[in-house]
Amino acid sequence: MENEKKEIDLLEALKSFGSWLYSVGLKCTKGLGWMLRFMYQQKYIILLFAIAGVCFGLYRAKDKIYMAEVDLKLKSHDAFFYKNLLDPMHKQCEYLDFTSISKQLNISLEDAQKIADIKSFYYIDVLCDDTPDKIDYDNSFNPMDTNNVITKDMLRLVVCCKDTALFNPLKQSFLEYFSRNEQIMKENELKQSQLGEKIKAVENEIIMLDSLRKKEYFHKKNDLSVNMDKALFVSEKETKLYHNDILSLENYRQSYIWEQKIYDNCAYFASDFKVNPRPVNYWVKFIIKYGLIFTGVGFIVALLWVYRKRILDYLNQEI
């Protein structure tokens, strides 16, 4: 009896759910039919707004905007630091604050007005093997998620411009913008000072070893007495040891000099900008986008116009 009762309850639940689903579908169908009928009745207003949207889309696509990407390699600080330097530029592009962009990148106001957007994205190390696996284009990185780690010495820089000839000159502008940061300047000066001290210390060691080599060479030469062949052999052996030490120190000196020149820049670009030949504001895309948006606005305007009396009566009602 209990099993039969459960089966009956289940059948009733399925029937009620089916009837509810049918009623919802029927209401949606009626609503869609009413909407289509209303749009047909107010076709002139809605069509006017749709044409306005198409015209606006063509206007927005008049000045073609191209997108380019490049990898930014970081030598001082981490990706968080540089992203915090670049993110304000994205806001400035949104608010059309070209004056600030011009000052920060040290470019003319005319060139700054050609920049449509500046964005930066993290590289995510999914496998935690110190190798970047993907780019966080949707900004979905969660710092609390320990499974995904940010690659700290690399960023993906995305720039949108109206002039493709502006991309490569912007590389130097970005590097100069980074190098003018007060914190980076202080750390760079300290690093340069430390490397300079290391170079001087190595040079002093080389001078000292060279002096010792010359001194011992002449000392051995004057002290040759009985076993001439043996003395010459020992002298040559010790001279070679000094020579190897000097060569080793010279290698250190050259590496410090190279590091001093490299660290003069806090970051560098791995390559030239890779420009997408297709504009981001492709005219077909913009016509569809703004055509649909303006059509929706036209529908709302027509709705307000048709039911304006009811709306006014409702607003005039005393509370």
Side-chain angles (χ1 to χ4, degrees):
M1 292 292 293
E2 291 181 0
N3 291 336
E4 290 179 359
K5 188 176 180 180
K6 288 180 180 179
E7 288 178 0
I8 292 171
D9 292 341
L10 182 60
L11 287 173
E12 288 179 354
L14 289 173
K15 286 179 181 179
S16 61
F17 176 75
S19 61
W20 174 82
L21 197 63
Y22 173 76
S23 63
V24 169
L26 188 62
K27 289 179 181 178
C28 289
T29 304
K30 288 181 179 180
L32 183 62
W34 177 88
M35 186 182 297
L36 291 173
R37 187 171 63 251
F38 180 81
M39 290 178 69
Y40 178 75
Q41 292 172 353
Q42 306 298 324
K43 55 183 176 294
Y44 295 111
I45 295 176
I46 296 173
L47 185 62
L48 183 65
F49 273 86
I51 293 172
V54 170
C55 294
F56 184 74
L58 289 172
Y59 172 76
R60 286 294 306 273
K62 178 172 64 70
D63 295 328
K64 291 182 173 57
I65 298 174
Y66 296 92
M67 184 177 70
E69 303 184 26
V70 69
D71 287 334
L72 181 64
K73 302 282 189 175
L74 314 175
K75 292 185 294 185
S76 62
H77 286 284
D78 55 13
F80 295 98
F81 181 84
Y82 285 88
K83 187 167 174 56
N84 287 333
L85 292 179
L86 292 167
D87 281 348
M89 290 187 178
H90 171 62
K91 292 293 183 183
Q92 290 163 1
C93 291
E94 284 186 344
Y95 300 141
L96 304 180
D97 186 6
F98 299 116
T99 304
S100 297
I101 295 174
S102 173
K103 290 179 180 178
Q104 290 172 345
L105 295 180
N106 195 21
I107 58 178
S108 65
L109 184 60
E110 182 182 356
D111 286 340
Q113 290 172 346
K114 296 177 183 178
I115 300 175
D117 201 0
I118 298 172
K119 294 180 181 179
S120 60
F121 302 96
Y122 292 123
Y123 271 93
I124 306 298
D125 182 10
V126 178
L127 302 177
C128 300
D129 57 355
D130 295 328
T131 303
D133 298 306
K134 67 176 183 178
I135 302 171
D136 188 26
Y137 282 118
D138 54 356
N139 291 318
S140 61
F141 172 74
N142 182 10
M144 303 301 293
D145 186 3
T146 56
N147 293 325
N148 293 333
V149 179
I150 282 180
T151 304
K152 294 184 178 181
D153 61 347
M154 189 185 302
L155 272 179
R156 172 58 64 94
L157 181 63
V158 177
V159 180
C160 296
C161 284
K162 298 177 182 177
D163 185 4
T164 56
L166 190 61
F167 284 119
N168 284 328
L170 278 177
K171 289 167 57 181
Q172 188 61 32
S173 300
F174 278 112
L175 293 178
E176 290 176 359
Y177 167 65
F178 297 144
S179 63
R180 289 194 302 269
N181 181 269
E182 186 176 352
Q183 188 172 351
I184 291 177
M185 286 176 64
K186 289 181 179 179
E187 292 185 1
N188 189 47
E189 289 176 1
L190 179 62
K191 184 71 175 179
Q192 293 290 332
S193 175
Q194 291 174 343
L195 289 172
E197 291 175 0
K198 287 181 179 180
I199 291 170
K200 287 182 181 178
V202 172
E203 287 176 346
N204 291 334
E205 287 290 328
I206 291 173
I207 293 171
M208 185 182 68
L209 285 176
D210 188 53
S211 299
L212 287 173
R213 180 178 61 177
K214 291 177 180 178
K215 180 180 178 181
E216 293 220 0
Y217 172 77
F218 288 109
H219 178 72
K220 291 289 183 181
K221 188 175 181 181
N222 295 330
D223 289 347
L224 290 176
S225 54
V226 182
N227 195 344
M228 186 67 70
D229 294 336
K230 183 177 179 181
L232 280 171
F233 176 74
V234 173
S235 178
E236 287 176 1
K237 184 177 180 181
E238 292 182 359
T239 303
K240 286 181 180 179
L241 288 175
Y242 279 121
H243 183 68
N244 290 337
D245 291 338
I246 291 172
L247 283 177
S248 178
L249 288 172
E250 181 62 27
N251 288 333
Y252 278 113
R253 191 179 79 90
Q254 292 297 331
S255 67
Y256 289 146
I257 292 173
W258 175 83
E259 192 175 354
Q260 195 176 38
K261 291 179 179 178
I262 289 296
Y263 269 95
D264 194 36
N265 290 324
C266 54
Y268 67 95
F269 289 99
S271 63
D272 290 334
F273 274 100
K274 298 176 182 177
V275 184
N276 188 345
R278 184 172 183 176
V280 294
N281 58 340
Y282 187 55
W283 66 274
V284 173
K285 175 183 174 182
F286 269 49
I287 284 176
I288 295 172
K289 176 182 176 181
Y290 288 105
L292 290 174
I293 291 174
F294 275 68
T295 299
V297 173
F299 178 82
I300 294 171
V301 170
L303 197 66
L304 294 173
W305 175 255
V306 171
Y307 295 100
R308 63 188 183 280
K309 291 184 179 180
R310 293 186 183 180
I311 295 171
L312 289 173
D313 291 340
Y314 175 77
L315 294 174
N316 291 327
Q317 286 179 0
E318 294 184 359
I319 301 175

